[in-house]
Amino acid sequence: MDIPFNNKNYVVEPEKYTQLCTCGNRHPPISIKMYTGTDAYTHLAKDCRQAVGSGSVLLVDDENTHRAAGGRVATCLQENSVQHQVITLPGDTSVTDSLAERITFESSRHGLIVAVGAGTINDLGKYAAGKRNVPYWTVPTAPSMNGYTSSIAAVKIKGVKRTLPAPPPQFIYVHPEVIRQAPMKLRQAGLCDALAKSVSDIDWQIESLLFSGNYCALPSAIVAESESSYMGNPEGIVQGSEKTIMGLFKGLLVSGVAMSLAGSSAPASGGEHLISHFLDMRASLTKRTPELHGLQVGAGVILSASCYRQLALINEKDLKSTAANAFSIDADNIPSVWGNMAAEVEKQFFKKREHLLAFDSLLPENWQTLKMLFGKVKKPQFFIDLIRRAGFEMTLEALNLLKDEFRLAALASRTIRERITVLDLAAHTGVLEDATAATLELLT
Ligand SMILES: [Zn+2]
Ligand SMILES: [Zn+2]
């Protein structure tokens, strides 16, 4: 859109790409712009008028985010004579294929989609905008996850959660007070999702060293710029410190951009995210209501950090050629863990079979470099202390999670995705069980 929308900043300034890139490849320019201020919603309404003229805007929110911001946004649209339709979904909405299609259908009469909310609402807006190829803007209501700026939308298709490509928003309108006053648990979940980078970035470096060679330090470097604001003062999450919470929020927005710059979610999603995906996928079998994405990821961060600790203790001479055996043990267990979803999981796990079998030679060849990388990860206790200082207890009970289900997630979640993570290294070297036991001790 070539309308001169003023007073906005790039989430990440494009000149940083060349300053901080270490891979030498060209990173696709991500042109998401953001307006921050207490007049953000008026600003949005004026931009809407400019963008759609006499056309109309579809505003999507839910009962909670309508109260937090959507109602005010609608008033601003009204005051600025912008034609609009508001769809307010129930507070406990999850993104199913039928709902996503409904929003897509509703959007067909509008020239712009504005999502007011966090994960669910943004996934819906993005999905519909991508399907209909209409512009998509967002009004975040919580620093709860890094999906606002990502190029994917999570949708449950026939009950199975999938991540589909979807265009990120062009513009983001941020009212700092709305973000600061977001419900406590959402802020804590956002902190945990941001902490994932401390382990996933190392997962990615390992994968790159062993296989793809595509690691770049740019994604990590741009996120690191806001890290000190929340890692240095996690108490600020509980206390409602604007500096901490807006620092966390900025870190999450940048993290979404970092994934687009990398061309994959690898900078922000490794083994720790598999734990959360595993629990979500198994929810239909266990009847457990999944906890917030970020909080489940937090438990995964503790597990990944425990795996790194255990791996760092292994000497090169003790590495054994157990790849074929380790693979078949986990492959054989898939049917009993997954029931009617087993075929889909098997497909994912078998995609990385060749890479896993190559561990027998690649791990000993690279062990010294790998050990250096393992040593970069902070202790599991560091992460659990940080999360607790932010006011979240981080126990199995707080996560509404049974011990056996967590153990299963820890031991078997490496099978659900093709990506190589620390969980594969831990399983191959035989330390995954010990790391799981150590994590369970910390979480009880
Ligand atoms: Zn690069
Ligand atoms: Zn995440």
Side-chain angles (χ1 to χ4, degrees):
M1 200 180 297
D2 349 293
I3 301 169
F5 294 98
N6 298 322
N7 307 321
K8 292 187 192 66
N9 298 315
Y10 285 107
V11 174
V12 179
E13 292 297 331
E15 57 259 30
K16 285 195 181 149
Y17 300 177
T18 38
Q19 288 163 6
L20 300 168
C21 168
T22 58
C23 73
N25 297 324
R26 193 183 158 274
H27 294 280
I30 310 297
S31 52
I32 309 171
K33 284 187 162 182
M34 171 163 80
Y35 181 88
T36 309
T38 50
D39 60 346
Y41 302 163
T42 311
H43 204 87
L44 163 79
K46 287 184 175 150
D47 285 352
C48 282
R49 240 176 91 88
Q50 210 172 347
V52 300
S54 58
S56 72
V57 173
L58 176 66
L59 190 162
V60 185
D61 61 13
D62 67 30
E63 289 162 346
N64 301 323
T65 64
H66 190 83
R67 265 195 306 276
R72 269 186 280 168
V73 173
T75 306
C76 288
L77 292 175
Q78 191 89 43
E79 285 168 359
N80 284 274
S81 312
V82 180
Q83 280 197 55
H84 62 280
Q85 177 194 352
V86 181
I87 297 182
T88 301
L89 299 163
D92 58 354
T93 297
S94 69
V95 188
T96 59
D97 35 8
S98 56
L99 179 60
E101 290 310 326
R102 191 190 128 202
I103 301 296
T104 306
F105 174 76
E106 293 286 348
S107 70
S108 60
R109 290 182 287 117
H110 303 278
L112 169 69
I113 300 174
V114 175
V116 183
T120 308
I121 299 299
N122 274 271
D123 281 339
L124 280 171
K126 249 192 251 179
Y127 178 88
K131 274 251 163 154
R132 293 242 5 274
N133 200 22
V134 290
Y136 162 64
W137 301 352
T138 184
V139 177
T141 52
S144 53
M145 43 91 230
N146 65 1
Y148 291 113
T149 47
S150 73
S151 332
I152 47 170
V155 181
K156 243 190 216 171
I157 297 173
K158 293 192 191 114
V160 179
K161 203 169 193 175
R162 298 200 187 281
T163 47
L164 307 172
Q170 291 177 320
F171 299 136
I172 306 177
Y173 297 85
V174 184
H175 192 312
E177 272 305 285
V178 171
I179 301 299
R180 193 180 71 80
Q181 292 176 13
M184 184 70 74
K185 220 169 159 184
L186 294 178
R187 301 180 222 159
Q188 292 160 333
L191 173 71
C192 293
D193 205 23
L195 290 180
K197 179 224 161 202
S198 312
V199 280
S200 62
D201 189 66
I202 304 292
D203 281 21
W204 183 24
Q205 290 192 50
I206 290 171
E207 185 283 323
S208 175
L209 170 74
L210 299 178
F211 302 106
S212 68
N214 69 5
Y215 180 77
C216 177
L218 166 67
S220 171
I222 55 177
V223 177
E225 289 177 1
S226 27
E227 246 167 8
S228 63
S229 61
Y230 51 92
M231 288 180 73
N233 178 32
E235 290 81 1
I237 304 273
V238 195
Q239 294 156 355
S241 149
E242 179 168 345
K243 189 166 171 245
T244 303
I245 296 170
M246 288 307 285
L248 170 62
F249 181 63
K250 178 82 201 290
L252 291 166
L253 293 183
V254 173
S255 168
V257 172
M259 294 193 278
S260 298
L261 289 174
S264 92
S265 61
S269 170
E272 78 297 327
H273 267 71
L274 295 184
I275 299 300
S276 181
H277 298 326
F278 180 99
L279 297 172
D280 290 346
M281 275 172 70
R282 284 250 312 164
S284 62
L285 303 169
T286 59
K287 307 290 174 228
R288 168 181 173 269
T289 307
E291 216 355 306
L292 289 170
H293 165 81
L295 296 178
Q296 293 186 159
V297 166
V301 171
I302 316 286
L303 175 70
S304 284
S306 299
C307 288
Y308 279 118
R309 289 242 25 94
Q310 300 279 342
L311 284 164
L313 300 173
I314 301 174
N315 291 314
E316 189 186 324
K317 65 175 175 40
D318 297 325
L319 292 169
K320 298 191 176 65
S321 294
T322 54
N325 194 34
F327 184 87
S328 54
I329 289 173
D330 284 349
D332 291 349
N333 282 334
I334 291 175
S336 66
V337 177
W338 291 105
N340 61 7
M341 288 182 271
E344 186 54 41
V345 173
E346 260 162 13
K347 211 159 64 187
Q348 293 296 323
F349 193 41
F350 275 80
K351 277 192 207 163
K352 62 179 173 184
R353 183 166 180 272
E354 289 308 312
H355 282 169
L356 291 172
L357 295 186
F359 273 11
D360 280 345
S361 56
L362 288 175
L363 296 195
E365 278 166 28
N366 293 284
W367 199 247
Q368 289 321 309
T369 316
L370 287 168
K371 272 187 105 159
M372 189 264 298
L373 290 170
F374 303 156
K376 284 188 174 180
V377 178
K378 294 198 166 62
K379 292 177 192 168
Q381 190 71 49
F382 168 83
F383 293 105
I384 204 157
D385 286 348
L386 200 82
I387 296 167
R388 288 180 178 159
R389 282 166 64 197
F392 185 71
E393 204 30 58
M394 193 43 87
T395 58
L396 293 178
E397 202 186 342
L399 293 166
N400 174 33
L401 191 53
L402 296 173
K403 205 171 186 175
D404 284 346
E405 184 64 8
F406 181 79
R407 186 181 287 120
L408 192 61
L411 299 179
S413 66
R414 73 190 192 100
T415 60
I416 65 174
R417 291 283 197 281
E418 185 182 0
R419 178 167 296 163
I420 297 288
T421 74
V422 67
L423 300 177
D424 293 305
L425 269 79
H428 179 93
T429 54
V431 299
L432 186 53
E433 300 234 5
D434 285 352
T436 303
T439 307
L440 277 169
E441 220 159 281
L442 289 169
L443 295 179
T444 35

